[in-house]
Amino acid sequence: MTTTPRSRTGVPTSRAVTSALPRPRLFELLDRAADLTVIQAPSGFGKTTLVASWLHAGGADGRDVCWIDAEESGRPVTEMLDSVVGVPPPAATLLVVDSLEASDSAAVMSRVAQLLDRYPSTAAVMCVRGAVELPLSVMTGGIRCVTVHAADLAFTVAETAALCRSVENDLTDPQCQDLCTTLRGIPALVSAAVSLLGTFPGPAVDRYGHLMPVPARLVDEYVADRLAGLDEWSRDLAPMAAASRTPGPDAVAALVDGGAGAAERLLERLDAAGLVVGTYDGKSRSWWWPEAIRQALLTVSRREQPGQVDAVMSQLAHRSLEAGRFADAAGYATDAADWPMAARIVEDHWSDMVAGHFELLVHILRTLPDETADENSSVAAGKALFVQSLAGHPLLNVPIPATPKEAVAAGARPDAADLLHIGTVQSVGLRMTGRLREGANRATQLVPLVDSMLAAQPENVTSQLPTVELQWAISMQLAGDLESATALFTRACRGGWAANYDFVVLNAAGSIALNWALVGDLPRTAEWLATESRVDTNVGYWDEMIRVGGRVAATLAHLDRLEFEAAHTILEVLGTPKSREELWGFVAYAVAQYGLATGDAYSGLTRLHHILAGHRELHQPGGASHVLLTAAEIDLHLALGNSTAARALTADTDSTHPVVAVAVARLELLTGHPDTARQQLAHVSWTRSGWLRAQVEALAIEAASYLDDRPDLAVQAWNRACAGAGRLGNRRALTALPARYVAALTALDGAATPDSTVPSVFPDTVSEVSLSPRELAVLELLEAGHGQRAIATELFVSLNTVKTQLRSIYRKLDVHSGADAVTRARQLRLLDR
């Protein structure tokens, strides 16, 4: 069906419009066909370009378009609307009023509302410069209204990247994100910067988050052009207004003459000009500065009135601090280059800033001169941790007391606080580079140091101790020292409650729950998940990250209760762990256990390998992830009947760890070696290990291993396993034994399992492929591309011998060709790739 062409009077056709990047998400808003669409945003946010490009792309299909440019018409808009109201417009008309000043918007919108009420087939789009309050006649007159704000118009990172591609600019995705974030997505600035960086290639932002010279000059010119378009009164006051980080009428009134009314008029004009961004939430208007524009205005103020604006911001810093607004105070001190004050505030309110004002904290640490940071050990440590690269950092080479005796002695020394901060950075730095065991050891060395400080000089112990202890505990947890980590997490949690550090309590409680879930203590897992849930608040930047531990704990607990749907729901929230996620290994473990428990071992193994591929450099021996994931992978291969691949994994980790010992013992049991299975389990001191779920599984495997020759011992071990599973409320532990063993043990004992209706996740037996050394040598040469004669020559045997060995290899691997044999051997890990 074709649409009859309609009249589109006055729609802009400039190159900027016709070549503009399509914006489907905003076109969708315009396509909703509301009676009235109000697009309210400052100049520079692309209102005209958006509506015109939407119309050129086929928007408002089937409608006549009447475009009124309030700026260029030379006549009052209400007068032009009177002519439209007086003459019935054609059916299905779209009226566009562009470049409307905020001060005129109420009268114009009321007149448009009259027009829409009189002609129901008419719709309107109004582009207003700045944030406005909709008249009651619009909101209560039965008119369906859609409002598009500045935040909606701002470019997203994806749109910025698409814009770069459209002009063949080779900025990387991270560079696009830096550019978009620094310019707050303002379309005029982002578009111009992308074009400029195409001509002058290079990053938009340096490593400290500051604009590079080319885009910085663009912002300076943008600000100069908009200042030039203001009236003299507004132009003179705008640079001083930029001293306020939160530009409300009251705040700005304290900086300029005329009171709150004059300040509000100034903000309205700055909003219309595109220097400040206003919003209306249905109750009141508020404004905020795009930081790049604010800094450019401060530069103008410093150039025109040297020293004045910095003195004002220094005063604001002290007033904010007196009022208890430490984040504002730190920001003002940084703006005014009052470095000692900024450093002091960061030191005194470190935990609060990490939790609630992290982006500001990073900005301050980036801006703070090194010489100032170096005068304060905690600030220097924070700058090293969050801003600078820890690789090769001098703090990593500072010696820390190595023994408890040395640490206790150091706790009474004047430099104890410095050692505390430096050691914490070292611990975090080591674990971030994958040296998990060293990071945990460093954290362990710091515990007696701080205990000694609390006894000898408590006044010098940082108020951020709960945050510090939290970091130490994370280092221990990632290294697999769960008992020590739990004790330290508990200390951090108590300190967090006392200091009202919600993010510490959330993180610590969830991490404790994770530790108990890993060992299989469901009652304690539930207890700490309940503690975590009592902090019913969002803690800002870190909120999603610090909830990972609790979510993994809840997933494992649901799996132990065989509540698969609930576990799946949480795993969907967790998703695939990002590269920066430190608890990635625990997420991967939960994913693998879900696949195993639900009988979908293939999916579990596939997802496990996918996660491992993104974190391979952190998957090193000595860490909790290496132990847990190796054990999980062994079990997944066993569930798939692939004992050869499972056995190949046993050489990659410590087989005396309880979860690995159970997996290896299960491998021996399923491949027909019950005596070896018991020997494997005997390597673990189960009463001291604390791994309760693994202990139940070990007892079940032990019971199965005794079935044929010692039924009395089989019954004894089986009773203990069932009792342990019942005591823990763990329904899953006994499903990890093949069904034939469960049936035999139940019949022998005469008692049912805690849940006998749940099928086993493992086959009754698993065959094992074993190649002789000569067959492996033939296979390796075949993999290297050698033909049969070449293999015979290389091994000094006859061609018939090689053919005989190949037939044996094909039979064992259940394949029919050399290529298939190599592929299957790789899958079974018979060949080193």
Side-chain angles (χ1 to χ4, degrees), residues 213-537:
V214 170
R217 179 182 174 188
L218 171 67
V219 174
D220 289 341
E221 292 185 358
Y222 173 93
V223 169
D225 289 344
R226 277 151 178 74
L227 285 174
L230 292 171
D231 61 274
E232 184 178 357
W233 177 78
S234 302
R235 185 168 57 250
D236 290 344
L237 295 179
M240 182 55 68
S244 174
R245 299 179 63 85
T246 53
D250 292 338
V252 173
L255 304 173
V256 301
D257 295 331
E264 188 165 4
R265 288 194 301 274
L266 175 62
L267 288 169
E268 289 173 351
R269 294 174 187 180
L270 299 182
D271 189 358
L275 293 171
V276 72
V277 180
T279 57
Y280 176 68
D281 61 5
K283 297 179 180 179
S284 60
R285 287 185 297 175
S286 59
W287 291 267
W288 56 270
W289 293 108
E291 188 58 26
I293 291 176
R294 177 172 176 259
Q295 292 301 325
L297 282 169
L298 291 175
T299 298
V300 172
S301 182
R302 291 182 179 111
R303 182 173 62 244
E304 295 180 351
Q305 296 177 308
Q308 183 175 358
V309 73
D310 289 321
V312 169
M313 290 189 295
S314 184
Q315 293 175 0
L316 290 172
H318 285 90
R319 292 176 188 170
S320 298
L321 194 58
E322 291 171 0
R325 300 191 304 272
F326 61 85
D328 286 341
Y332 281 124
T334 302
D335 290 337
D338 188 342
W339 308 126
M341 184 178 187
R344 187 171 66 253
I345 295 171
V346 167
E347 180 188 19
D348 292 343
H349 300 278
W350 178 263
S351 291
D352 292 297
M353 296 199 71
V354 168
H357 308 275
F358 183 69
E359 292 178 345
L360 174 61
L361 173 63
V362 171
H363 167 72
I364 293 170
L365 293 174
R366 281 173 170 167
T367 309
L368 204 65
D370 289 342
E371 55 270 23
T372 302
D374 290 343
E375 294 174 358
N376 185 302
S377 60
S378 63
V379 177
K383 186 163 187 173
L385 187 59
F386 292 127
V387 176
Q388 299 166 334
S389 172
L390 284 173
H393 197 283
L395 287 179
L396 297 181
N397 299 320
V398 176
I400 299 295
T403 67
K405 183 177 181 180
E406 292 173 349
V408 170
R413 286 165 27 191
D415 65 342
D418 293 342
L419 292 173
L420 180 63
H421 295 128
I422 293 169
T424 300
V425 170
Q426 291 177 349
S427 175
V428 175
L430 287 166
R431 83 171 190 241
M432 290 176 67
T433 55
R435 296 158 66 181
L436 301 178
R437 173 46 50 200
E438 294 175 72
N441 290 343
R442 189 59 45 87
T444 301
Q445 293 168 352
L446 296 172
V447 176
L449 172 67
V450 78
D451 288 344
S452 175
M453 288 182 65
L454 288 169
Q457 45 177 326
E459 70 281 359
N460 289 330
V461 176
T462 172
S463 61
Q464 320 311 324
L465 182 59
T467 307
V468 171
E469 290 177 329
L470 179 71
Q471 290 302 318
W472 298 346
I474 292 172
S475 294
M476 296 174 182
Q477 182 187 54
L478 292 175
D481 298 342
L482 300 191
E483 184 176 354
S484 299
T486 298
L488 209 49
F489 276 131
T490 304
R491 282 174 52 164
C493 188
R494 290 170 180 164
W497 276 119
N500 293 318
Y501 294 160
D502 286 345
F503 81 101
V504 172
V505 176
L506 271 174
N507 202 334
S511 296
I512 296 170
L514 172 57
N515 289 352
W516 288 121
L518 288 170
V519 302
D521 192 326
L522 290 182
R524 283 176 168 158
T525 301
E527 174 189 345
W528 282 99
L529 286 175
T531 300
E532 181 195 40
S533 69
R534 287 200 290 272
V535 185
D536 186 18
T537 184

Side-chain angles (χ1 to χ4, degrees), residues 561-582:
R561 300 187 190 101
L562 302 182
E563 299 164 350
F564 298 144
E565 185 175 345
H568 179 266
T569 299
I570 302 175
L571 286 176
E572 287 292 299
V573 174
L574 285 168
T576 301
K578 298 180 175 60
S579 59
R580 67 176 183 173
E581 174 54 65
E582 288 198 283

Side-chain angles (χ1 to χ4, degrees), residues 664-674 677 701 704-705 737-738 741:
V664 174
R666 188 163 23 241
L667 166 64
E668 299 295 352
L669 178 69
L670 269 59
T671 54
H673 308 110
I701 293 171
S705 74
L737 198 63
Y741 290 109

